[in-house]
């Protein structure tokens, strides 16, 4: 059976990610660890660029948000109060025919009979709860008193540290606490490459406010988050806002939006923006016996703040960036023959490598020396790659394939051998248009920084 164009596209993207060092299967030489992924040299740069830009936009460019970094190991009482210990589970069904393990809501029904969606088998077990949290032991004694959990989300550490951060930051409502960190969920069926994993990273904001501000701030943060995705190069045409209906929302939420993206494998959630009311702080105040109230100096009232939560997946957004950037076009090779060119059209601020520097010939020492001098000039400002191997056209293609937006070629004009007026100028090539321009070496840092930021 022929695969759909989207399935073929996804296969090409997964292959490119491994071939070029973006993402590898974790523990691959031992057969792989299902639902876990390792980021290679280019993947970790892309991921870091995303997180750094999120932090810049959410924390450094605002005066109403501060950051924190909570522990991964979580006290069981925290997760009991939040409802995770009792309620964080999915009803699971096993198919005895094909041995698939399914969430109960994945089972299909035909003519009143439940069937496995994979093999159409009807021999299914009864649904039973499956806890999605990873449990571990702390200390020497392996008993109930030593139980801890790997956190299933980053939000709870923000809530339990709310009062401490409020006191040291001296912020007034509304204000937010931001965090980027790992979370762990024992997904039964990890799938769609890195989209659904057992170990993943979140970029999460808890924005605390007065009760009457909640719905207005929900709308505000929905729009702010859409702007963010556009500013990192994700096309607005591929983004969709789903208003989560009442029956699908968490019981404590008064409003939730899902920001979804058109992946090759279908439309899926990138981020949730939820108005969680005062549920979380109230739960922890009740369970701990410690006050988590806010004192409003203007009204002289004490109350538990409400919260709006924009929560984004780092790994999902990285995957969306790669899927959106992947393209193929036609470009001439060294002999002028047209060939297929694979390009990752990352926004320059997200690209793992910002600029590649090439001496025209590797056996011409003055060219090599000048190229390395330019690398040293640019390195304080951006991530630079030096490449002297192969024909210059092939070097361009390698950089296009990993998404490098700019290439600098040091040639004989740079040395002033053909025209003294061109001494200390280089050819600056732009990835998407492949246009080239002549620019002075001394102006390179300023030109590139302006085009990247």
């Amino acid at each position: 059976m022929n695969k759909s164009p989207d399935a073929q596209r996804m296969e090409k993207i997964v292959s490119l990610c491994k071939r070029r060092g973006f993402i590898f299967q974790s523990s691959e030489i031992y057969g792989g660890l299902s639902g876990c992924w390792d980021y290679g040299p280019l993947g970790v740069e892309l991921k870091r660029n995303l997180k750094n830009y999120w932090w810049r936009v959410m924390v450094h460019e605002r005066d109403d948000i501060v950051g924190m970094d909570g522990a991964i190991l979580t006290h069981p009482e925290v997760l009991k109060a939040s409802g995770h210990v009792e309620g964080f589970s999915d009803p699971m069904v096993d198919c005895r025919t094909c041995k698939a393990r399914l969430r109960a809501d994945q089972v299909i029904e035909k003519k009143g009979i439940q069937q496995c969606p994979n093999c159409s088998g009807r021999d299914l077990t009864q649904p039973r709860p499956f806890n999605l949290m990873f449990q571990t032991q702390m200390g020497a004694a392996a008993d109930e008193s030593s139980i801890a959990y790997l956190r299933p989300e980053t939000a709870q550490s923000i809530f339990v540290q709310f009062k401490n951060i409020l006191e040291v930051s001296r912020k007034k409502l509304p204000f937010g606490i931001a965090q980027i960190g790992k979370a762990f969920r024992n997904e039964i069926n990890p799938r769609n490459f890195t989209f659904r994993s057992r170990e993943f990273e979140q970029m999460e904001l808890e924005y605390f406010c007065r009760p009457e501000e909640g719905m207005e701030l929900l709308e505000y943060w929905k729009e702010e988050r859409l702007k963010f995705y556009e500013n990192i190069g994700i096309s607005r045409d591929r983004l969709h806002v789903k208003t989560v209906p009442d029956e699908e929302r968490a019981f404590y939420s008064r409003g939730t939006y899902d920001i979804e993206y058109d992946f090759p494998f279908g439309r899926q959630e990138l981020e949730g923006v939820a108005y969680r009311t005062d549920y979380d702080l109230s739960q922890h105040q009740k369970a701990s016996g410690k006050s988590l109230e806010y004192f409003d100096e203007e009204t002289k009232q004490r109350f538990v703040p409400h919260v709006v939560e924009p929560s984004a997946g780092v790994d999902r957004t990285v995957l969306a960036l790669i899927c959106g950037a992947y393209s193929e076009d036609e470009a001439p090779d060294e002999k002028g023959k047209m060939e297929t060119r694979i390009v990752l059209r990352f926004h320059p601020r997200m690209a793992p490598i910002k600029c590649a520097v090439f001496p025209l010939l590797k056996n011409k020492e003055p060219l090599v020396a000048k190229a390395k001098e330019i690398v040293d000039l640019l390195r304080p400002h951006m991530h630079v790659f030096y490449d002297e191997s192969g024909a210059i056209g092939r070097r361009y293609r390698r950089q296009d394939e990993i998404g490098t937006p700019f290439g600098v070629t040091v040639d004989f004009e740079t040395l002033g051998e053909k025209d003294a007026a061109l001494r200390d100028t280089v050819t600056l090539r732009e990835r998407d248009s492949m246009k080239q321009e002549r620019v002075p070496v001394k102006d390179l840092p300023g030109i590139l920084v302006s085009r990247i930021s």
Side-chain angles (χ1 to χ4, degrees), residues 217-394:
L217 285 169
L218 176 67
E219 298 299 319
Y220 168 80
W221 279 112
K222 176 193 71 177
E223 294 303 320
E224 286 296 298
R225 300 306 301 141
L226 288 170
K227 288 179 195 174
F228 173 86
Y229 288 112
E230 292 184 83
N231 288 338
I232 61 175
I234 292 180
S235 170
R236 185 67 179 84
D237 293 340
R238 293 192 179 188
L239 292 170
H240 307 274
V241 177
K242 173 186 174 183
T243 302
V244 179
D246 292 350
E247 63 272 15
E248 294 180 21
R249 286 201 319 262
F251 68 90
Y252 49 77
S253 170
R254 286 193 190 164
T256 300
Y257 292 114
D258 285 347
I259 298 176
E260 300 178 323
Y261 177 77
D262 287 330
F263 288 96
F265 46 81
R267 187 174 296 178
Q268 299 286 345
E269 180 189 348
L270 275 184
E271 173 164 355
V273 184
Y275 173 28
R276 298 173 67 122
T277 66
D278 62 351
Y279 173 77
D280 299 280
L281 289 180
S282 294
Q283 284 293 103
H284 290 298
Q285 177 173 268
K286 179 181 177 182
S288 68
K290 305 292 194 302
S291 172
L292 296 178
E293 292 182 329
Y294 174 84
F295 178 68
D296 191 325
E297 293 181 355
E298 293 180 10
T299 64
K300 307 304 180 185
Q301 292 179 314
R302 290 187 180 275
F303 59 92
V304 176
H306 284 219
V307 67
V308 175
E309 176 194 76
S311 178
V314 176
D315 307 87
R316 292 182 176 189
T317 307
V318 166
L319 184 57
L321 286 168
I322 295 172
C323 290
Y326 183 90
S327 66
E328 297 178 8
D329 61 17
E330 297 286 321
D333 62 13
E334 292 83 2
K335 297 179 181 179
K337 182 181 177 181
M338 298 302 288
E339 63 178 3
T340 300
R341 179 179 76 132
I342 297 174
V343 192
L344 287 180
R345 301 183 188 276
F346 290 127
H347 189 292
R349 64 165 59 102
M350 289 293 109
I353 297 169
K354 309 302 184 189
C355 180
V357 180
F358 318 110
L360 187 62
L361 299 172
K362 70 176 181 180
N363 56 1
K364 186 76 172 179
E365 182 54 35
L367 292 175
V368 171
K370 191 67 177 178
K372 291 183 176 179
E373 180 184 314
I374 291 171
V375 169
D376 291 339
L377 175 69
L378 296 177
R379 267 200 176 129
H381 306 281
M382 66 196 71
H383 189 201
V384 187
F385 184 81
Y386 172 81
D387 189 2
E388 62 180 29
S389 175
I392 192 69
R394 287 293 161 203

Side-chain angles (χ1 to χ4, degrees), residues 53-88:
Y53 185 67
W54 187 90
W55 198 261
R56 173 180 137 190
V57 169
M58 299 294 270
V59 181
H60 291 173
E61 293 182 358
R62 302 180 64 109
D63 59 9
D64 60 342
I65 296 176
V66 296
M68 72 163 285
D69 185 9
I72 286 171
L73 291 171
T74 307
H75 197 298
E77 295 301 322
V78 170
L79 297 175
K80 285 180 183 177
S82 66
H84 285 84
V85 171
E86 294 299 325
F88 198 63

Side-chain angles (χ1 to χ4, degrees), residues 394-407:
R394 287 293 161 203
R395 284 183 264 172
Y396 285 150
R397 294 291 179 275
R398 288 197 292 263
Q399 294 303 311
D400 292 343
E401 195 173 41
I402 63 174
T404 305
F406 302 105

Side-chain angles (χ1 to χ4, degrees), residues 1-17 19 192-193 263-266 322-323 326-328 342:
M1 186 174 70
N2 292 331
K3 293 183 178 178
S4 68
D6 283 341
Q8 292 175 352
R9 178 182 175 85
M10 196 63 214
E11 283 188 358
K12 291 178 179 180
I13 289 169
V14 173
S15 174
L16 174 64
C17 283
R19 185 174 72 252
N192 292 329
F193 199 26
F263 288 96
F265 46 81
I322 295 172
C323 290
Y326 183 90
S327 66
E328 297 178 8
I342 297 174

